[in-house]
Amino acid sequence: MKKMKSAALIGLGAMGAYFAPRLYEEYGENFRVIAGGERKKRLMEQGVSINGVNYHFPVADPEQAGEPADLVIIAVKGYGLDQAVKDIRGFVGEKTVILSVLNGVDSEQKVIDAYGEAHVLYSYMRVSIVMKDGCTNYDPALGSIHFGEKENREGHYSERVMAVKEVFDRCGITGIIDPDMIKGIWFKFMCNVGENLTCALLGIPFGAFQRSSHANAIRKQAMREVMQIAVKQGIDLSEEDMEKQEETLRGLPFLNKPSTLQDLEAGKKTEIAMFAGTVMEYGNRLGVATPVNELLYHGICVLEEKNEGLF
């Protein structure tokens, strides 16, 4: 197995902040954050605060990429994916492996369409991250990234899966190789849709699910709509999978808030189109009713309009 000697990251929000410090510690100048324009200027001048430390990572302009990276991680918001796919082009060489750790279910296919299957592994993240006043905080010991080919059999992992595993092991990043990555991605999507959007619409933290049967009723029905869509596609999600998430919810800090609520409170654009919007699109195509997700979608869009000063 050939070791990866360089890495690049695009997107330095909550997800990107999980990777950046440890990749930088391991690779130094062979790690680059991809950014241009005002964002590049801001990162170079002000840096970024992660777990109380201000970092000035090496920044590379998309128009001046230099050498390709062995590993490229895409960690932008869903609405920034199309531009990110374009911006990483100069960093993708013949042997580059790309991980798209976005929250939705379609990002890998968009990257494959641009660069081909030979460059893309499947991935998703399981970590609770708090962003406030431009500062990012999380417990590095609690987060994990799941990655791999579509299907992975222990003892028979592909060379590129093993190469990424070796990077994560060196960097102290908890990497988990799922036997079925598509199911894993849809499982996380199901949880995100139920938890993230319920909290965002109602303005409640994760801890509300430990106390409120009403919050849980909304969360679970939104999740069931995703589950029904997954089953229609031959993806084995079930009520048992939903029950497994209960323990995870009980282990989250009571006051932690999901990304969509954090975005609303900060007056930022949310990923509602990637969450409930995607559920509605799949439901319409596959003949699955999605009334709870439709309510979540329109309700959160109203909150965005409120933030924009429409009323």
Side-chain angles (χ1 to χ4, degrees), residues 176-245:
I176 299 173
I177 304 169
D178 288 7
D180 184 344
M181 281 299 304
I182 302 303
K183 177 178 179 177
I185 286 169
W186 275 87
F187 171 74
K188 187 201 172 178
F189 183 64
M190 175 178 72
C191 297
N192 249 331
V193 164
E195 298 158 14
N196 209 327
L197 303 189
T198 299
C199 287
L201 184 64
L202 301 178
I204 56 177
F206 280 117
F209 298 125
Q210 300 173 21
R211 298 182 181 175
S212 173
S213 61
H214 304 293
N216 279 303
I218 298 169
R219 171 179 69 87
K220 290 180 179 180
Q221 189 51 45
M223 291 173 74
R224 288 190 179 100
E225 292 176 1
V226 177
M227 182 178 67
Q228 292 164 11
I229 288 169
V231 169
K232 279 269 191 176
Q233 299 175 93
I235 300 165
D236 183 26
L237 284 183
S238 66
E239 292 282 337
E240 183 179 350
D241 292 306
M242 287 179 56
E243 289 302 316
K244 290 177 182 177
Q245 182 64 4

Side-chain angles (χ1 to χ4, degrees), residues 6-31:
S6 61
L9 169 73
I10 186 166
L12 201 48
M15 293 183 292
Y18 177 79
F19 295 100
R22 287 173 283 193
L23 289 172
Y24 180 53
E25 182 178 348
E26 178 64 30
Y27 286 112
E29 294 300 315
N30 288 323
F31 167 67

Side-chain angles (χ1 to χ4, degrees), residues 13-115:
M15 293 183 292
Y18 177 79
F19 295 100
R22 287 173 283 193
L23 289 172
Y24 180 53
E25 182 178 348
E26 178 64 30
Y27 286 112
E29 294 300 315
N30 288 323
F31 167 67
R32 292 162 287 173
V33 173
I34 303 169
E38 286 300 315
R39 182 162 179 77
K40 176 183 177 181
K41 181 181 179 182
R42 184 169 66 252
L43 288 174
M44 294 183 70
E45 292 179 354
Q46 301 176 16
V48 60
S49 178
I50 302 172
N51 287 339
V53 179
N54 186 257
Y55 291 92
H56 284 78
F57 300 116
V59 181
D61 194 290
E63 303 299 324
Q64 301 169 336
E67 290 293 320
D70 292 331
L71 175 65
V72 172
I73 298 175
I74 303 175
V76 298
K77 291 283 192 179
Y79 49 76
L81 178 60
D82 290 343
Q83 186 61 50
V85 169
K86 297 175 184 177
D87 287 346
I88 67 170
R89 183 161 297 278
F91 300 83
V92 179
E94 183 180 353
K95 300 296 184 181
T96 300
V97 174
I98 306 170
L99 294 181
S100 176
V101 299
L102 278 69
N103 281 320
V105 292
D106 296 327
S107 69
E108 278 87 2
Q109 189 57 54
K110 290 184 178 181
V111 183
I112 288 171
D113 290 344
Y115 296 100

Side-chain angles (χ1 to χ4, degrees), residues 119-131:
H119 286 289
V120 181
L121 289 178
Y122 292 80
S123 62
Y124 64 96
M125 296 179 67
R126 300 284 286 174
V127 58
S128 181
I129 297 175
V130 177
M131 294 191 71

